[in-house]
């Protein structure tokens, strides 16, 4: 029989998606170049030429049987080894290929990481503001997402609330740094404090509690900001990565889970992912994309536009009197909505063809998200609209 | 905490995988060309040149932002429309793009189809012999796989047992024609009889029962064999397809679910798949692969080698006295194991460097599977080994 749960979910339309559709429709009226569409977090710069060249070379030179053949369900061994070597060099870790599970993007990575370490009914903690897809990502595995309330950007974690919520039912904690939607990058001391609380609770409860670190924005970090690697701070850690943002390949669905070698049963956890795949229908990410990203692991798209845009917007918005934490990375910022009602503010913004996302969808009241992954020229043209909008509040 | 269920699954090593590893190891001793490796069902002919050319053209000519951008989670609309049009033309159906959900291969398709129509605890029926991955595919969704016992190849379905097992708890029936491992293609009357029983039970129980039709071998059908399209026989039907075999692209993970427009809530079921994806981490199959297969929907690899191999093997094996149903399609055949003990027979076969899969893994005793997706030259050289082997029984 048709499953009511998924039917019902169709009713709950994504606010971000609705805003994006509004922007597209408005673009048809006035020209999309005149809509300041800050709704979607999609890369706005092309993939490195070397990725394209590598794909073409694979297609021209490799035996198609080998090129398009099944990868092992854990991923192509040589690709897993290259990912491990790259992480070790960059972050001083000791991964081998056996700790890496190749996935269809961060969504695939989180789907597997959560299933490795939670039984239905277990709880997973995350921190507001958070990527709204964490709700279905976690809850549809049978585990239950619990959200630590928002504190302030200057101190991104409400440690007291976290400690109180970290009950015996919690088997995993999901963090996201650099953070969507706030743009905040956790400092080493923030991560160390999270890790310390988790270690204490592990001892107290006598069971493992895993840190699942969602890191699609790991490579988008601004000048002068230190972005420590979370798995370096905590043994029971699973790092979930996607190449969507760093290589501008969101549609090609490629990422990985990296299981900390110091984790309980580390190699076993990576191997378990291939069993989980049999139920999720994941099996393996596309072979040709695995092979191509393995050749550009230490490259990124030209990500500088995001910092350029951030600097322009941050200066202008703070000059206009908006309260806003300066983002350390990503292509988001998360100012306070003047007047306090984010939904009303973003509705008003539409009148100036500014498409902003109210923070309610990220588990926080009274802020709005600006996804500034658009052309700098458009950012500059949007400043006048922000100026007009701010006068109304 | 680390989930024991998946840990335990790691112990149950696939028999097919073990045989394939044995073949590889033996190949290192005597040269792989001398191992008659009939273990794995992997295509042995390259993808059509047009697929490769299309991929290169997309990479050379398309804006990389657009090419590698997110597809909608249901799949790229133009691709879905082309798939619908192709199915309509070939099978007289009335699909629109809204009935198609693009997936990462047949595994992704089945993972979503089953979740659409079963709640945890519901039962799904399939028929022996069956693809062993159906076990985890179904059971890991929370539904329970029930297997109708094997009857005979000449009459592939044990209808009496099917009818008795089709209790009120069953919400889906999973069929696979052309069949792995038997090579049998269901006739129109076989499918009609399955459909008739399901319709009667739907009326009796007052709830929908869905036919999930797994069709990765749809395009590999031999001369003179009619392979009817199952969804043409039953309204509540979900057709699950993979391009892995027809286009020799198993590693690129591309397929679809086609929801019969006559199905209860047809368009809703397709749309529900995108909600299910949020939990499985599926999201969308790789954009570039979607776009490329859409250009070669009505092409296949040169599949003739499989029929050539079947004819050679079928003649030789029946001449040697093996009892075997003549395959109507796929690249498998499923003779009876002389002596009745399939495991002992396949163990003996290894002495002649013949790698055959005992039928126990397919839910049937006393047969063995030959996956003849290998070069014809090797098939011919293997006949002597079959001759020697048969003398021992």
């Amino acid at each position: 029989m048709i499953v009511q749960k998924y039917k019902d979910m169709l009713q709950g339309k994504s606010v971000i998606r609705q805003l994006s559709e509004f922007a597209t429709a408005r673009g048809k009226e006035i020209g999309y170049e005149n809509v300041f569409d800050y709704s979607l977090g999609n890369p706005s710069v092309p993939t490195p030429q070397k990725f394209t060249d590598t794909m073409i070379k694979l297609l021209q030179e490799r035996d198609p049987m080998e090129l398009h053949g099944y990868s092992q369900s854990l991923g192509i061994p040589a690709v897993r080894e290259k990912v491990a070597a790259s992480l070790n060099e960059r972050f001083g870790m000791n991964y081998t290929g056996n700790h890496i599970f190749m996935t269809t993007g961060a969504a695939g990575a989180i789907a597997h990481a959560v299933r490795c370490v939670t039984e239905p009914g277990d709880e997973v903690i995350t921190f507001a503001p958070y990527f709204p897809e964490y709700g279905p990502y976690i809850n549809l595995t049978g585990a239950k997402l619990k959200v630590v309330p928002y504190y302030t950007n200057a101190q991104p974690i409400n440690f007291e609330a976290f400690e109180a919520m970290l009950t015996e039912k919690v088997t995993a904690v999901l963090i996201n740094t650099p953070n969507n939607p706030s743009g905040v990058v956790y400092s080493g001391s923030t991560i160390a404090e999270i890790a310390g609380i988790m270690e204490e609770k592990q001892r107290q409860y006598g069971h493992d509690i895993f840190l699942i670190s969602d890191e699609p924005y790991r490579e988008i970090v601004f000048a002068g900001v230190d972005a420590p690697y979370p798995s370096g701070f905590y043994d029971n850690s699973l790092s979930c990565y996607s190449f969507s943002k760093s290589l501008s390949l969101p549609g090609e669905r490629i990422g990985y889970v990296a299981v900390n070698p110091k984790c309980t049963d580390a190699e076993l956890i990576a191997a378990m992912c291939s069993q989980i795949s049999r139920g999720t229908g994941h099996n393996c990410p596309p072979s040709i994309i695995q092979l191509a990203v393995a050749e550009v692991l230490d490259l990124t798209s030209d990500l500088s536009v995001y910092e350029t845009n951030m600097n322009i917007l941050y200066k202008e918005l703070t000059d206009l009197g908006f309260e806003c934490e300066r983002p350390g990375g990503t292509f988001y910022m998360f100012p306070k909505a003047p007047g306090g009602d984010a939904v009303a503010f973003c509705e008003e913004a539409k009148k100036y063809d500014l498409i902003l996302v109210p923070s309610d969808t990220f588990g926080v009241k009274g802020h709005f998200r600006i996804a500034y992954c658009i052309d700098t020229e458009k950012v500059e043209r949007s400043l006048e609209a922000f100026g007009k909008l701010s006068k109304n509040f």
Side-chain angles (χ1 to χ4, degrees), chain A residues 70 82 94 249:
Chain A
Y70 276 114
K82 282 185 184 177
N94 290 297
L249 295 174

Side-chain angles (χ1 to χ4, degrees), chain A residues 93 191 194-200 202 207-212 229-238 260 262-263:
Chain A
M93 300 293 288
I191 303 171
I194 294 172
I197 292 170
M198 290 174 66
E199 275 161 11
E200 190 200 307
Q202 282 195 140
H207 68 69
D208 291 319
I209 304 171
F210 286 85
L211 182 69
I212 300 176
Y229 185 65
S231 289
F233 291 76
Y234 188 71
D235 289 352
N236 273 338
S237 52
L238 311 177
N260 192 329
K262 293 180 180 166
C263 211

